[in-house]
Amino acid sequence: MVVLLLLPLLLLLFAPAEPRVLWAAGLLDLLILGLAFLDAELASLTRLEVVRELPPRLSVGVASDVTLRLKNHGTRSATVELHDQAPAAFDPRPERIPLVVPPATRVQRGEKQEEQPGEAAALLRVQPPARGRYAWGAVYLRVRGPFGLAWAERIEPLARPVKVYPDVRAGRLLLAGGVRDLERVGAHQLRREGEGSELETLRDYVYGDPFRDIDWKATARREKPVVRVRQPERSQTVLICVDASRLMAVKSGNLTKLDYAVNAALLTAFVALRNDDRVGLMLFADDVHTFVPPGKGKGQYHQILERLYAATPTRTYVDYRAFARTLLARQPRRALVLTLTELHDEATTRPLMDQVRRLSTRHLPVVVSLRDPGLEAAARQRPTTPEDRYRMAAAAELLTERAALQRGLSAAGARIIDRPPEDAVLAAVNAYVEVKQRHLL
């Protein structure tokens, strides 16, 4: 466009500076400007429809493709440039997408002719960095005119809120990696009639009954084969408690400890609900922020997921007293209490030891501690400066203190699982599976 407006200047360079030549150059510029305005007006009249297709679920740290589908209801092809105002934190690529949308065509359907809009699609790659709720903005379009002289800009009001959920896919991959062990202990199998652990009655042996079910004492008394009939285990209660205090904001790789704890909580809930157990949730820090009463079914899993997807670490300390007080008040019946937390130092963890002693009189407490790999690396480093020696000594002291705290928690009645954050997902599931396998509840 700018080049065209400069063309009349060439006329002035090679022609004498006469009034007629100046008028001709001015008229030529006006003609070009008029054509540009006409081109922009025609571009603005282009009948385009924009549809944004998001994935069914966005997950933290997982790259996903967003489809921008354009439909052209006009009679000429449209050259456009797209910019989707995705949340900047999602790192959308590419920022601008050029696209050519073919014109609409007439399609014969029976005795009638119907308009078939031309379609073209573009892909936008996004990768959410954290869980939570985000605002997705509008789609900005630049449509080129038929003469190629100007562009018309328009905004498609497609703004909407979006949710970014935990990466449960990664947890299920871990579950798939340990699928044989989990199936062996029944984590993937729903209970079937006659395969529980509670004795219901005795009956006469029938051909085909397993020999392991024969009750030999009853057989000797009755002088004929008698088998034990076991009823399925009644549904048990699992309460998953997630620490969301400031210590859980520490990062391990691209995720925080709370991210790993959320993934572990969701996968454990998934497995327990498939085993027909009742599962509840507690999210706590300086107080109990979320409590989902134990329940069953897919609806219960989705409720737990909705409460956890936007959980963020608070900037407060953790109050284990409030945690235990609420738990004992809201959950009077015996339950497996699976707590995902960080055993940092004695001042922080000593209250947990006291509360575990209270909880163990009624419940089965299992504590999954997400240890700090950086702390272990600092304790193993070879110091070269006085600062390195101090850092190594402090790390070694904290590790010794954590080991003593774990022994204290174990003596108070808790089962302790100490794993790096990356291993916490499968460790939590295995802890649940072991409790079920050994009938500890």
Side-chain angles (χ1 to χ4, degrees), residues 328-386:
L328 289 170
R330 301 291 295 273
Q331 183 58 41
R333 298 180 61 184
R334 181 170 173 80
L336 165 61
V337 178
L338 183 70
T339 304
L340 296 134
T341 187
E342 156 69 344
L343 306 181
H344 186 259
D345 54 27
E346 185 172 2
T348 304
T349 312
R350 178 65 64 177
L352 176 60
M353 197 178 304
D354 299 333
Q355 303 313 313
V356 161
R357 193 172 288 108
R358 291 178 59 197
L359 293 175
S360 60
T361 60
R362 185 187 302 174
H363 302 293
L364 175 61
V366 176
V367 177
V368 179
S369 172
L370 285 71
R371 65 174 181 247
D372 189 351
L375 189 65
E376 297 177 342
R380 291 194 304 264
Q381 71 175 345
R382 303 179 65 179
T384 57
T385 64

Side-chain angles (χ1 to χ4, degrees), residues 203-211 214 225-227:
R203 64 168 172 79
D204 291 344
Y205 175 83
V206 177
Y207 179 77
D209 286 337
F211 289 124
I214 295 177
V226 175
V227 295

Side-chain angles (χ1 to χ4, degrees), residues 106-114:
R106 288 284 179 178
V107 179
Q108 190 74 31
R109 298 188 187 277
E111 298 181 355
K112 295 182 179 180
Q113 280 193 345
E114 296 182 2

Side-chain angles (χ1 to χ4, degrees), residues 299-315:
Q300 182 73 359
Y301 179 79
H302 289 303
Q303 186 177 359
I304 291 173
L305 178 61
E306 286 296 321
R307 297 296 184 94
L308 281 177
Y309 89 90
T312 55
T314 64
R315 296 185 177 182

Side-chain angles (χ1 to χ4, degrees), residues 79-272:
T79 301
V80 300
E81 192 175 80
L82 291 169
H83 171 66
D84 193 1
Q85 198 177 29
F90 287 12
D91 191 26
R93 301 288 177 179
E95 292 186 4
R96 296 189 178 275
I97 306 173
L99 206 61
V100 177
V101 190
T105 56
R106 288 284 179 178
V107 179
Q108 190 74 31
R109 298 188 187 277
E111 298 181 355
K112 295 182 179 180
Q113 280 193 345
E114 296 182 2
E115 180 188 89
Q116 182 72 34
E119 288 193 21
L123 289 180
L124 184 72
R125 176 62 61 92
V126 297
Q127 187 166 346
R131 293 172 288 104
R133 183 184 291 268
Y134 294 85
W136 203 301
V139 175
Y140 292 83
L141 291 179
R142 295 181 72 231
V143 185
R144 191 174 182 180
F147 306 141
L149 298 178
W151 296 78
E153 295 186 354
R154 56 193 287 186
I155 299 176
E156 294 293 328
L158 299 179
R160 54 169 294 185
V162 293
K163 297 177 180 179
V164 176
Y165 289 90
D167 182 14
V168 293
R169 183 194 65 169
R172 295 192 185 187
L173 289 176
L174 284 175
L175 183 61
V179 66
R180 290 185 180 178
D181 289 339
L182 290 173
E183 285 187 349
R184 177 175 59 81
V185 297
H188 277 279
Q189 300 172 358
L190 294 176
R191 300 178 185 86
R192 292 176 293 180
E193 192 68 29
E195 290 192 350
S197 63
E198 297 181 7
L199 181 62
E200 186 176 39
T201 186
L202 298 172
R203 64 168 172 79
D204 291 344
Y205 175 83
V206 177
Y207 179 77
D209 286 337
F211 289 124
R212 66 174 180 272
D213 289 342
I214 295 177
D215 189 316
W216 296 106
K217 290 183 179 180
T219 297
R221 286 195 304 269
R222 299 185 184 183
E223 298 181 350
K224 62 180 179 178
V226 175
V227 295
R228 295 183 295 266
V229 178
R230 297 183 181 276
Q231 65 179 354
E233 293 176 359
R234 54 189 170 79
S235 178
Q236 295 172 315
T237 302
V238 179
L239 190 59
I240 303 173
C241 306
V242 179
D243 178 1
S245 65
R246 58 184 177 82
L247 293 177
M248 301 296 282
V250 176
K251 280 205 166 187
S252 180
N254 294 326
L255 301 179
T256 65
K257 288 186 177 182
L258 181 58
D259 288 323
Y260 288 109
V262 165
N263 290 344
L266 286 172
L267 189 61
T268 306
F270 175 78
V271 173

